[in-house]
Amino acid sequence: MAGTKTLLVLENFIGGRFLPCNSYIDSYDPSTGEVYSRVPDSGKEEVEAAVEAARAAFPGWSARSPQERAQVLHRLADLLEQSLEELAQAESKDQGKTITLARTVDIPRSVQNFRFFASSILHHTSECTQMDHMGCLHYTVRAPVGIAGLISPWNLPLYLLTWKIAPAIAAGNTVIAKPSELTSVTAWMMCKLLEKAGVPPGVVNIVFGTGPRVGEALVSHPEVPLISFTGSQPTAERITQLSAPHCKRLSLELGGKNPAIIFEDANLEECVPTTGEICLCTSRIFVQKSIYSEFLKRFLEATRLWKVGIPSDPSASMGALISKAHLEKVRSYIKKARAEGAQILCGEGVDKLSLPPRNQGGYFMLPTVITDIKDESCCMKEEIFGPVTCVVPFDSEEEVIKRANSVKYGLAATVWSSNVGRVHRVAKKLQSGLVWTNCWLIRELNLPFGGMKSSGVGREGAKDSYEFFTEVKTITIKH
């Protein structure tokens, strides 16, 4: 067991300084189940201090030119890149994801977020129209809104935190961010680089803690007009209620129950490995009947090749789940599926997971494939957010579109087919904010990201984020 002396103790970052907190929350190492760091359990007082710092920093920061702000973002990106290995190791340990994933996806994308918005902020143009018969000229100007409240989740800690901070400060706002209390370490490490990058005190404030204490204080604060949140639907409902009296602007990026649709003319050579990799993201796989058994055979082979191991093992394809409570939740869905008469073909309760002795208490789970399950099952309707996927057959295009759209979520979908006409037709009819065809998770940051239905409100991307983080004004001049 780790002694108290070796615990990592985080501090809030307010007004350019690290400040201790009166009370702390234990944070666990998902690969061992042991406490390894302490996170500030902040509340109203800390949020108030952060609002003061952000308010004081706003006039100076918003008065800088976009070029000057972009330089600061570029410097921060460079510093993050120089610390890539250190950040990747910290992210992997704190979140439970593999070191390979943190090294190749999370941290590089965090660096890219700052570079991308440092560049895109320089290329927005405003509108102008003439009304010659009235002797008038109309044009628009955009200005930063003020203090932005940013709340990010535990699945992509630094990746999604920077995806919010970068556009907010590029546009001239100051921010108060609250990372998930389960994954706060890389946000705290980033704070150490802010001064060196030239970010003035108070422009970026990070207050650690739980949703009910910090989140609620931030969301209900009258001086925080903007809230950007990524997380669960129940939390989003609470945010909406608390912010309603203040008419706040909200961007809510919520859950999904993402379908993959595999038609009989799909290229299985490409489709099976890719669909295997997205076990974490695609929880409903619809396969056309004529290729169902062939796909299932190949898919199971690919899934069994996945190595679940300790996050620091470079050969592991999957690490640990985030927490004991989350592991229990994911397991409960598999129990429900079994009780409903579904078949569990591999993974939890079927195959044996071998782990080193010190990781026996970690939150590990094998990728699990379920078949013979009804569309009405909770496993087909609710977001599980774990390595569990249901594979079901379908007959026709029309039928599968209806079934894919039959859930309350609409974040992303994938379609596999070599028929170009069908790909366009199906993509158009799916109720999803994003549809990938014959590929997965290839992101063009210029274009909108976000979901339909219960998957959220608003979009994020070059233009969308800029519009969200600025206020537009129309000016008319009679000449």
Side-chain angles (χ1 to χ4, degrees):
M1 289 289 284
T4 319
K5 284 176 189 166
T6 58
L7 290 185
L8 183 63
V9 181
L10 310 190
E11 290 181 318
N12 289 321
F13 188 74
I14 298 169
R17 293 187 308 143
F18 285 102
L19 302 171
C21 193
N22 297 330
S23 59
Y24 288 83
I25 310 161
D26 287 339
S27 181
Y28 294 81
D29 176 340
S31 73
T32 61
E34 291 170 4
V35 175
Y36 93 104
S37 75
R38 312 208 68 209
V39 177
D41 185 12
S42 314
K44 264 190 173 151
E45 204 180 303
E46 288 80 5
V47 168
E48 202 51 64
V51 168
E52 273 178 41
R55 188 200 304 128
F58 180 71
W61 182 247
S62 58
R64 290 197 188 191
S65 70
Q67 285 78 4
E68 288 172 311
R69 293 195 297 260
Q71 282 174 343
V72 174
L73 267 72
H74 276 301
R75 281 200 294 271
L76 183 52
D78 292 345
L79 292 169
L80 285 169
E81 196 168 48
Q82 285 160 26
S83 310
L84 193 142
E85 184 56 29
E86 197 187 337
L87 286 163
Q89 291 198 17
E91 198 75 290
S92 171
K93 186 180 175 73
D94 198 30
Q95 203 274 346
K97 65 178 63 196
T98 65
I99 182 68
T100 311
L101 201 60
R103 229 179 238 149
T104 57
V105 177
D106 289 65
I107 311 305
R109 177 58 199 276
S110 304
V111 171
Q112 167 68 359
N113 286 338
F114 283 110
R115 289 200 178 129
F116 177 79
F117 285 106
S119 164
S120 77
I121 195 67
L122 307 177
H123 303 290
H124 297 290
T125 54
S126 56
E127 297 161 289
C128 177
T129 60
Q130 283 166 269
M131 248 188 201
D132 289 343
H133 65 291
M134 300 285 285
C136 283
L137 181 74
H138 309 273
Y139 65 95
T140 58
V141 290
R142 281 192 172 270
V145 183
I147 303 171
L150 314 175
I151 302 174
S152 54
W154 49 256
N155 60 327
L156 297 159
L158 194 63
Y159 174 136
L160 286 178
L161 180 69
T162 54
W163 176 240
K164 294 177 188 302
I165 291 175
I169 66 172
N173 300 284
T174 55
V175 306
I176 300 168
K178 185 202 99 64
S180 165
E181 70 277 17
L182 301 172
T183 51
S184 295
V185 174
T186 47
W188 171 74
M189 289 168 74
M190 182 184 72
C191 293
K192 298 179 181 183
L193 306 173
L194 295 175
E195 190 183 352
K196 198 175 176 188
V199 178
V203 170
V204 175
N205 305 279
I206 299 196
V207 182
F208 298 103
T210 65
R213 278 172 51 76
V214 179
E216 299 217 351
L218 182 57
V219 166
S220 53
H221 200 289
E223 287 185 70
V224 182
L226 287 179
I227 302 291
S228 174
F229 167 78
T230 301
S232 73
Q233 198 203 345
T235 308
E237 279 180 38
R238 184 75 184 129
I239 289 172
T240 308
Q241 288 164 356
L242 291 169
S243 60
H246 306 286
C247 286
K248 298 193 180 206
R249 189 184 295 188
L250 302 179
S251 172
L252 307 171
E253 217 274 83
L254 313 177
K257 191 69 185 165
N258 305 339
I261 300 172
I262 297 152
F263 287 99
E264 58 195 359
D265 57 356
N267 177 345
L268 292 186
E269 298 294 317
E270 282 179 16
C271 167
V272 171
T274 312
T275 315
E277 279 173 33
I278 54 174
C279 202
L280 289 166
C281 312
T282 296
S283 45
R284 300 180 295 150
I285 302 178
F286 295 93
V287 186
Q288 203 151 19
K289 259 195 187 134
S290 57
I291 58 161
Y292 181 74
S293 54
E294 175 62 17
F295 172 85
L296 196 56
K297 187 174 117 260
R298 294 197 195 189
F299 184 64
L300 285 168
E301 282 167 10
T303 307
R304 285 207 166 102
L305 289 176
W306 265 57
K307 181 182 169 185
V308 174
I310 56 170
S312 58
D313 174 359
S315 70
S317 9
M318 202 178 104
L321 271 64
I322 187 67
S323 67
K324 193 173 170 51
H326 190 64
L327 176 64
E328 293 308 326
K329 179 191 153 187
V330 177
R331 281 182 176 156
S332 76
Y333 277 101
I334 296 164
K335 286 193 191 98
K336 284 176 194 168
R338 200 173 262 125
E340 288 168 358
Q343 299 286 311
I344 317 290
L345 298 187
C346 70
E348 180 69 20
V350 178
D351 302 304
K352 190 162 166 29
L353 176 58
S354 56
L355 292 164
R358 80 171 291 249
N359 299 99
Q360 295 294 330
Y363 318 130
F364 293 91
M365 183 177 168
L366 288 164
T368 302
V369 178
I370 302 174
T371 56
D372 296 333
I373 191 157
K374 294 184 173 67
D375 286 8
E376 299 72 44
S377 164
C378 61
C379 295
M380 288 286 280
K381 292 270 186 207
E382 296 168 23
E383 182 176 43
I384 300 175
F385 220 68
V388 179
T389 195
C390 302
V391 186
V392 292
F394 74 89
D395 286 308
S396 70
E397 184 181 306
E398 206 177 322
E399 168 216 340
V400 77
I401 290 167
K402 199 174 166 189
R403 289 171 68 190
N405 288 341
S406 71
V407 297
K408 66 176 182 177
Y409 296 109
L411 181 58
T414 49
V415 180
W416 296 84
S417 169
S418 52
N419 178 328
V420 177
R422 174 188 277 156
V423 157
H424 284 288
R425 219 171 32 243
V426 175
K428 208 170 169 184
K429 289 179 181 169
L430 288 172
Q431 294 166 354
S432 288
L434 304 123
V435 181
W436 279 283
T437 62
N438 300 324
C439 64
W440 168 249
L441 214 55
I442 296 171
R443 279 283 289 127
E444 156 59 287
L445 301 186
N446 280 295
L447 298 185
F449 182 96
M452 295 182 180
K453 302 193 286 191
S454 290
S455 287
V457 176
R459 295 288 185 273
E460 296 174 314
K463 187 166 171 278
D464 298 85
S465 296
Y466 177 65
E467 286 175 0
F468 178 74
F469 287 113
T470 54
E471 201 71 85
V472 69
K473 184 183 291 185
T474 301
I475 300 171
T476 301
I477 309 282
K478 191 167 168 62
H479 51 81

